[in-house]
Amino acid sequence: MKPVRVQSVVLTALSVSVLAVGLAGARTPSAASKKATFEDDVLPVFKAHCFSCHTGAEAAAGLDLTRYESVIKGGASGQAVVAGKPDESLLTKRIVGTAAGPQMPMGFAPLSAAKIKAVRDWIAQGAAASGEKRAHWAYVAPKLPALPKVKDAKWPRGPLDRFILARLEKEGLKPSPEATKAALARRLFLDLTGLPPSPEAVAAFEADRRPDAYERLVDKLLASEHYGERMARPWLDLSRYADSDGYEADANRVAWTYRDWVIDAFNRNMPYDRFSIEQIAGDMLPSATIDQKIATGFHRNSMFNREGGVDPGEAQFYVVMDRVSTVSTVWLGSTLACARCHDHKYDPFSQKDFYAMVTVFGNTDYEKAGDANVGQEKWYEPNIEVPSQDQTVERDKLKKDLADADKDLAAAKTASAPAFQAWLTGSERNKVWTAPSDVTVSTVSGEVPEKLEDGSFLFTGPPPANDTYELTFTTGTPVTALRLEALPDSRLTMNGPGRSVSGNFILTNAVVAADTSPVPVSQVLASYTQGGYDPSRIAEAVPAGSWAVYGAIGKPSEIAFVLKSPIRPGRYKVSLSFGSKEWPQHLIGRLRLTTTTSPAPYVVPMNLQEALAKPARSKSEDDALFAFFQSVTPQTQALAQKRSQTAQALAKLEASIPKAMVVRERPTATPLVGNLHLRGEYLSKGDPVTAATPASLPPMPKAAPVNRLTVAKWLVSRENPLSARVEVNRLWELVFGRGLVETSEDFGTQGARPSHPELLDWLAVTFMEEGWDVKATMKRIVMSATYRQSSAATPDLLARDPKNVLLARGARYRMEAEMIRDNALTIGGLLSSKVGGPSVFPTQPDGVWDTPYNGEQWATSTRGDQYRRGLYTFWKRSSTYPAFMSFDATSREACTVRRLTTNTPLQALGLLNDQVSMDAARGLARRTGGVQAKARVSAMFRTCTARIPTEEESARLLKLYARLKDRYDKDPEAAAKLAKTPDDAAWTMVANTLLNLDETITRN
């Protein structure tokens, strides 16, 4: 065995070693007495410890341990196995460490005695190839196995239990007693709705003595609208659902309509085959509905790169590869994406298989947008509107009203034509604004501008960082509005009208005053405003927004302040402040003040001013000018205003209509053809590839076109050996915390073998025969005696089966991240029961969401939305909700089948101190008040755990309360940080303690 660099294989070896635990757990001491085979006994050891180096044509020392023939052949050091003689076999010597050279596996811990014995036994018994030639179990279509015989015929409640019991009896084990009714109620609520039961619900179930009380509760929970939420949560991990694009800028997207489709599909108990087809190819179904198109948002959950300079074709290439990888993981439990660069090392998938699937999923439509010359071209896939019935009715009404308003304005056009022509020439338009003759300008900085002949003022010196201009004037007539003109001038940088190096300015405040009394302004009108700036509130008592004109540098701009009431003749002052801290020296360079007595003052938008100046105009320009004329002319103003209000209402309504990200197939009359990509690189195209499914799996119907819809139907066909197994395994994992195949993401040869293979096949076949009924499968699982066992474990059972692979007891595991939060909020009486709708922003620590690209901030939701289920939390890929990340949620940049469970100090700190945790503690303290201390402790405890505390537990909690009460009586300031009174503060901390119990955050 040739030495290799340890560092290069560490990650692979570690990832494989994780599987070893599952492989070892699936085997038992009683299995060692049978004749050892290569596939069943030796190959799992090699997979777990040797494959990182000894695989394929480039295997270390030329020794390939992936196949029986290559093991027998040996490698560069000679023959590895001498049949019948383990002590003379080089393979045995190297793993024991008695041969020359390093002990194998090199760089890692030696094999356990049990694994060395498995290899020795196989060699000693002749090193036979028994079973070596049969196909991997997962690639053989499941058949309905016969129900096993059991000794204890009374324990099973259905066929499922017989498979479990048969294995237990074979191992000399017995099932655990049934859990208490309180424990079962809590278990059912958590598993079927993701929420804990109320104490009242637990008490009602305990008091229900009807023979079918348990089944009634199961049916009630399966019918709950919260069932769909519970089932959708893990599906969102599978579909890599998120509310942002990912990558560097991580722009936000509207994706929640897909999430709501998933919830609704589970609540309606959509058959899993239909559920699958609609997500993979709903757009291709005959007369596809809006809902079926929304379902294809499954594909759009891929990340999308909006960065400048990205090749749009390459970006789309990665999107499609992600889709193929996700589909193969979700429906095939396969690592097909490992064949992106080369043929799969361990499973029967070639690189051609991978790109044949890429060809299928790459035939989707998109539109090109952006300037390719500066690297801004992007390929955008379609979005569709998803209006509610009310929105559809309202939109139709507004469209009709808008058409009627257009007719009324058209009828008035002829009558107003002469006045319009006069307005165009300026004879009437120029009379609207006049300049006071006695305007003076002073500044806080002391600068003195030059007064020009046209009544404007010019500043030419170096500008101060900030300043305020004060314009004083006298009027002899009632004034309805004041207009400030920012004028260009060749003496200003970039011709102005600002004094900055860019020619821009930023007006931050404008105040009109008579003596020292401000004159109220009702409206601010601007001919042009730079994007991102809003001058509408700069004249308020507490100013907000500002006015800038970058984008119109070197052009005149106007802003008018319409007064609430006309000002009487007299002396007035206008103060203009330029107070930007971010952009100093952004002051106006040349300005002019004008006033008007018109009852309907207006400012002509800059684009229309430019059209007015043209000697010849287009019809569209004339139409735009006439529409504006009608909006400011008293004779037609009412009609124009009605039309404008209707148009605004329609625009507002359409902006509120939810959108859905979908895919749309490109029509094609010929078979789909793509290319292999050498080493998986976008630019390295290889041989042509025709669209197809993996050759090692059963084929699609020959007469069917090879497209997404056909592939979708093939995935959930009875001939496909994987889809049903993969899904029932995930449903089992959802309930028991561990799948019958522990590696639920990988059913291939590198994955764990099923702990109960016959049960897996029975569930899969029954699932298909019953019409892919998810609720029926969930009900079958939770109705079983296996499910109802107590999770209490004896020391002997823990020693023999620490991971509960054999299911001799009920499952016990920590809740997932979202459920921990939902559980606390429910216990505190705070959780919103609202189902569906846009994503929300619950409380999180300040500074977590820092987006440098656009300055957006995490704005905490209100009106109860901050207490909605974790399922609805806005999922920002680059800044995922921290309370979820600390409890092992992922960023959802890629498909996640299993969340690995960790235990860290950060989790404890979060549960103790997070604001949501404290809010829930206060809520629990409030909802259990009004009774004596012992009863209150009992109510709190039952609300958290569903059971009544023992006397010892009650005594400890009462002692804790007394100690806290004494502390807060002595330190009222500390108490005030928690609650209104020291007593409330003490109970809040007792509640906080209970919410942090292991039992509270554990499903058992």
Side-chain angles (χ1 to χ4, degrees):
M1 296 186 181
K2 187 171 72 174
V4 296
R5 292 173 63 238
V6 175
Q7 182 181 3
S8 66
V9 299
V10 168
L11 291 177
T12 306
L14 286 177
S15 62
V16 173
S17 68
V18 171
L19 304 179
V21 180
L23 293 166
R27 304 189 59 76
T28 59
S30 64
S33 60
K34 71 178 182 64
K35 183 175 177 61
T37 67
F38 177 76
E39 180 178 300
D40 294 336
D41 299 275
V42 177
L43 190 59
V45 176
F46 291 165
K47 285 180 186 177
H49 299 280
C50 310
F51 274 18
S52 59
C53 299
H54 295 282
T55 55
E58 298 180 2
L63 179 61
D64 179 5
L65 297 180
T66 62
R67 297 177 300 112
Y68 174 79
E69 293 85 356
S70 59
V71 173
I72 297 301
K73 178 182 176 182
S77 300
Q79 185 177 354
V81 173
V82 180
K85 298 179 179 180
D87 292 333
E88 297 180 16
S89 298
L90 182 59
L91 179 64
T92 308
K93 294 178 180 179
R94 293 305 294 268
I95 62 177
V96 173
T98 57
Q103 183 177 359
M104 294 294 162
M106 189 175 70
F108 298 97
L111 298 183
S112 67
K115 290 178 181 178
I116 293 174
K117 184 176 186 301
V119 176
R120 288 181 59 88
D121 287 348
W122 171 67
I123 297 174
Q125 294 172 14
S130 305
E132 152 69 9
K133 293 297 182 182
R134 71 173 183 260
H136 180 63
W137 66 269
Y139 303 136
V140 179
K143 296 180 180 179
L144 192 70
L147 299 180
K149 296 179 180 179
V150 294
K151 298 175 184 176
D152 183 2
K154 294 182 180 179
W155 185 76
R157 292 180 177 272
L160 180 159
D161 292 321
R162 292 180 62 176
F163 290 98
I164 300 297
L165 183 59
R167 179 70 186 275
L168 291 177
E169 289 179 342
K170 182 179 178 181
E171 301 296 333
L173 296 172
K174 292 183 179 181
S176 295
E178 185 167 294
T180 65
K181 293 192 78 173
L184 289 175
R186 184 172 184 266
R187 188 181 296 177
L188 284 172
F189 268 84
L190 290 173
D191 287 346
L192 298 181
T193 70
L195 303 173
S198 66
E200 295 76 17
V202 176
F205 178 59
E206 289 177 322
D208 192 342
R209 302 301 178 189
R210 291 173 292 184
D212 61 346
Y214 184 88
E215 185 173 11
R216 285 173 180 267
L217 180 57
V218 170
D219 289 339
K220 176 183 177 182
L221 296 175
L222 287 172
S224 165
E225 62 182 355
H226 301 306
Y227 164 80
E229 294 176 315
R230 169 69 185 113
M231 300 299 289
R233 211 294 308 148
W235 190 265
L236 297 185
D237 274 2
L238 292 170
S239 64
R240 68 264 190 256
Y241 169 87
D243 295 295
S244 68
D245 288 341
Y247 293 106
E248 186 183 17
D250 199 19
N252 297 342
R253 58 169 59 165
V254 177
W256 61 266
T257 46
Y258 167 77
R259 181 201 61 216
D260 283 6
W261 180 90
V262 173
I263 295 171
D264 183 62
F266 278 118
N267 276 334
R268 290 189 289 119
N269 198 29
M270 181 182 289
Y272 183 72
D273 58 345
R274 193 72 185 176
F275 178 75
S276 303
I277 290 169
E278 291 195 6
Q279 291 184 85
I280 297 170
D283 60 306
M284 300 178 70
L285 294 170
S287 303
T289 64
I290 288 180
D291 277 352
Q292 288 168 336
K293 293 175 182 177
I294 292 172
T296 65
F298 176 88
H299 298 303
R300 293 294 302 280
N301 287 331
S302 296
M303 295 201 298
F304 182 70
N305 197 338
R306 296 178 186 267
E307 294 173 35
V310 170
D311 185 312
E314 185 175 16
Q316 184 68 9
F317 174 70
Y318 289 132
V319 164
V320 174
M321 287 199 297
D322 170 70
R323 290 172 184 173
V324 172
S325 174
T326 300
V327 167
S328 61
T329 298
V330 172
W331 279 277
L332 299 176
S334 157
T335 56
L336 180 62
C338 289
R340 169 186 165 180
C341 304
H342 48 69
D343 291 349
H344 203 296
K345 282 191 173 184
Y346 310 118
D347 290 314
F349 302 128
S350 67
Q351 191 181 21
K352 182 179 178 181
D353 287 334
F354 178 75
Y355 285 102
M357 287 284 275
V358 168
T359 303
V360 173
F361 285 88
N363 189 49
T364 53
D365 207 2
Y366 53 80
E367 292 183 357
K368 297 180 180 180
D371 189 347
N373 294 319
V374 292
Q376 291 298 327
E377 181 181 301
K378 302 289 182 291
W379 294 358
Y380 294 101
E381 293 183 280
N383 294 340
I384 61 171
E385 291 184 338
V386 189
S388 66
Q389 185 174 357
D390 290 344
Q391 286 174 324
T392 300
V393 171
E394 180 65 13
R395 180 161 62 174
D396 290 344
K397 178 182 179 300
L398 287 172
K399 284 184 175 181
K400 181 181 181 302
D401 292 345
L402 190 62
D404 290 344
D406 285 335
K407 288 179 182 178
D408 292 340
L409 281 169
K413 184 172 184 178
T414 303
S416 58
F420 176 54
Q421 289 302 317
W423 185 84
L424 284 177
T425 61
S427 58
E428 293 297 325
R429 188 177 72 253
N430 295 335
K431 296 178 182 178
V432 176
W433 299 96
T434 58
S437 60
D438 63 342
V439 179
T440 60
V441 177
S442 63
T443 64
V444 171
S445 67
E447 278 195 287
V448 179
E450 176 187 355
K451 185 172 183 179
L452 306 181
E453 291 183 0
D454 62 355
S456 64
F457 293 83
L458 175 66
F459 292 85
T460 56
N466 301 109
D467 206 349
T468 298
Y469 299 171
E470 295 183 345
L471 286 67
T472 306
F473 68 96
T474 303
T475 177
T477 57
V479 170
T480 58
L482 295 86
R483 180 180 68 168
L484 177 69
E485 295 175 272
L487 302 171
D489 194 284
S490 61
R491 288 164 285 185
L492 298 170
T493 306
M494 306 295 290
N495 289 328
R499 302 172 66 183
S500 67
V501 293
S502 67
N504 197 11
F505 63 83
I506 302 175
L507 178 64
T508 55
N509 186 209
V511 178
V512 182
D515 296 324
T516 57
S517 302
V519 176
V521 172
S522 63
Q523 189 179 12
V524 178
L525 307 170
S527 63
Y528 175 84
T529 300
Q530 178 181 334
Y533 289 80
D534 178 11
S536 62
R537 297 180 58 194
I538 62 173
E540 295 181 3
V542 180
S546 51
W547 182 44
V549 295
Y550 194 79
I553 299 304
K555 299 177 182 180
S557 296
E558 305 171 5
I559 188 168
F561 305 100
V562 182
L563 308 178
K564 280 191 175 181
S565 301
I567 56 175
R568 293 175 295 181
R571 189 75 172 161
Y572 293 91
K573 181 171 69 176
V574 181
S575 297
L576 305 174
S577 296
F578 303 91
S580 174
K581 303 299 183 186
E582 184 179 6
W583 299 102
Q585 298 184 324
H586 277 56
L587 287 68
I588 290 180
R590 183 180 171 192
L591 71 161
R592 179 168 56 201
L593 179 70
T594 55
T595 63
T596 185
T597 59
S598 170
Y602 63 86
V603 167
V604 180
M606 181 176 289
N607 64 318
L608 297 184
Q609 290 183 28
E610 292 172 347
L612 282 168
K614 291 181 178 180
R617 290 182 291 271
S618 66
K619 182 180 182 302
S620 62
E621 288 173 330
D622 275 337
D623 288 344
L625 285 166
F626 186 72
F628 180 76
F629 167 76
Q630 287 181 315
S631 72
V632 298
T633 303
Q635 292 84 349
T636 55
Q637 195 171 45
L639 291 175
Q641 187 175 19
K642 179 181 177 182
R643 198 252 179 224
S644 176
Q645 290 172 345
T646 304
Q648 289 175 12
L650 179 60
K652 183 178 180 181
L653 173 67
E654 290 183 331
S656 71
I657 292 174
K659 305 293 192 297
M661 303 166 62
V662 301
V663 295
R664 184 170 57 226
E665 188 76 356
R666 283 201 302 262
T668 178
T670 58
L672 300 175
V673 178
N675 287 91
L676 214 68
H677 285 260
L678 306 179
R679 303 178 306 281
E681 294 295 333
Y682 169 63
L683 294 176
S684 301
K685 287 188 177 180
D687 295 336
V689 175
T690 303
T693 52
S696 60
L697 296 175
M700 293 180 290
K702 290 184 178 179
V706 183
N707 55 31
R708 263 189 302 120
L709 182 57
T710 303
V711 169
K713 293 177 179 178
W714 168 81
L715 283 169
V716 287
S717 64
R718 289 295 298 269
E719 291 72 29
N720 193 309
L722 288 161
S723 293
R725 279 183 176 132
V726 168
E727 176 58 11
V728 296
N729 187 68
R730 280 198 299 259
L731 296 178
W732 188 274
E733 181 180 69
L734 182 74
V735 170
F736 289 100
R738 180 188 187 279
L740 294 168
V741 177
E742 184 176 16
T743 55
S744 48
E745 72 283 359
D746 185 5
F747 274 49
T749 62
Q750 287 294 92
R753 298 173 64 189
S755 59
H756 298 75
E758 295 82 6
L759 173 57
L760 179 64
D761 283 0
W762 184 87
L763 286 169
V765 173
T766 304
F767 183 45
M768 292 186 284
E769 288 182 348
E770 290 184 344
W772 302 83
D773 190 327
V774 176
K775 280 191 177 181
T777 301
M778 289 294 290
K779 181 174 181 179
R780 176 174 290 112
I781 292 172
V782 302
M783 289 294 294
S784 68
T786 303
Y787 176 84
R788 300 192 210 187
Q789 295 177 96
S790 167
S791 61
T794 63
D796 178 62
L797 192 55
L798 280 175
R800 292 193 59 181
D801 187 15
K803 296 181 68 176
N804 198 26
V805 174
L806 302 176
L807 294 166
R809 61 185 185 274
R812 185 180 190 277
Y813 49 87
R814 194 190 67 208
M815 299 177 193
E816 60 198 28
E818 294 91 334
M819 195 185 293
I820 289 174
R821 180 178 179 275
D822 296 346
N823 182 62
L825 289 174
T826 304
I827 289 170
L830 299 174
L831 188 74
S832 167
S833 61
K834 180 181 176 182
V835 176
S839 298
V840 297
F841 301 84
T843 304
Q844 74 172 6
D846 292 337
V848 172
W849 192 356
D850 183 11
T851 305
Y853 295 93
N854 54 18
E856 67 183 6
Q857 298 293 318
W858 180 277
T860 303
S861 298
T862 57
R863 300 180 182 178
D865 280 349
Q866 70 271 37
Y867 296 132
R868 295 197 64 197
R869 291 190 71 161
L871 182 78
Y872 302 112
T873 296
F874 193 94
W875 208 277
K876 185 87 164 174
R877 282 179 162 127
S878 62
S879 183
T880 310
Y881 192 60
F884 294 164
M885 292 296 283
S886 66
F887 278 100
D888 309 313
T890 73
S891 64
R892 292 193 179 145
E893 294 176 47
C895 170
T896 303
V897 180
R898 282 189 302 158
R899 293 184 182 179
L900 301 180
T901 303
T902 64
N903 290 290
T904 69
L906 183 61
Q907 294 166 349
L909 287 170
L911 286 180
L912 284 167
N913 299 298
D914 189 87
Q915 185 170 334
V916 172
S917 299
M918 293 309 303
D919 288 348
R922 293 185 189 94
L924 176 60
R926 281 194 302 269
R927 68 183 298 197
T928 53
V931 295
Q932 56 95 8
K934 186 174 182 180
R936 191 170 186 177
V937 160
S938 180
M940 282 185 171
F941 195 95
R942 187 162 170 85
T943 303
C944 291
T945 67
R947 68 178 178 85
I948 303 295
T950 64
E951 286 297 325
E952 181 184 0
E953 289 166 334
S954 290
R956 292 182 67 185
L957 289 168
L958 287 169
K959 186 177 180 181
L960 172 64
Y961 162 70
R963 190 165 66 248
L964 289 167
K965 176 69 163 57
D966 180 63
R967 173 190 171 187
Y968 290 129
D969 281 338
K970 295 176 180 177
D971 189 355
E973 289 187 8
K977 295 178 181 179
L978 294 170
K980 292 182 179 179
T981 67
D983 188 65
D984 290 341
W987 283 114
T988 295
M989 292 310 297
V990 171
N992 181 261
T993 301
L994 288 169
L995 284 167
N996 279 271
L997 291 179
D998 180 69
E999 189 173 353
T1000 302
I1001 64 170
T1002 299
R1003 179 272 192 211
N1004 53 24

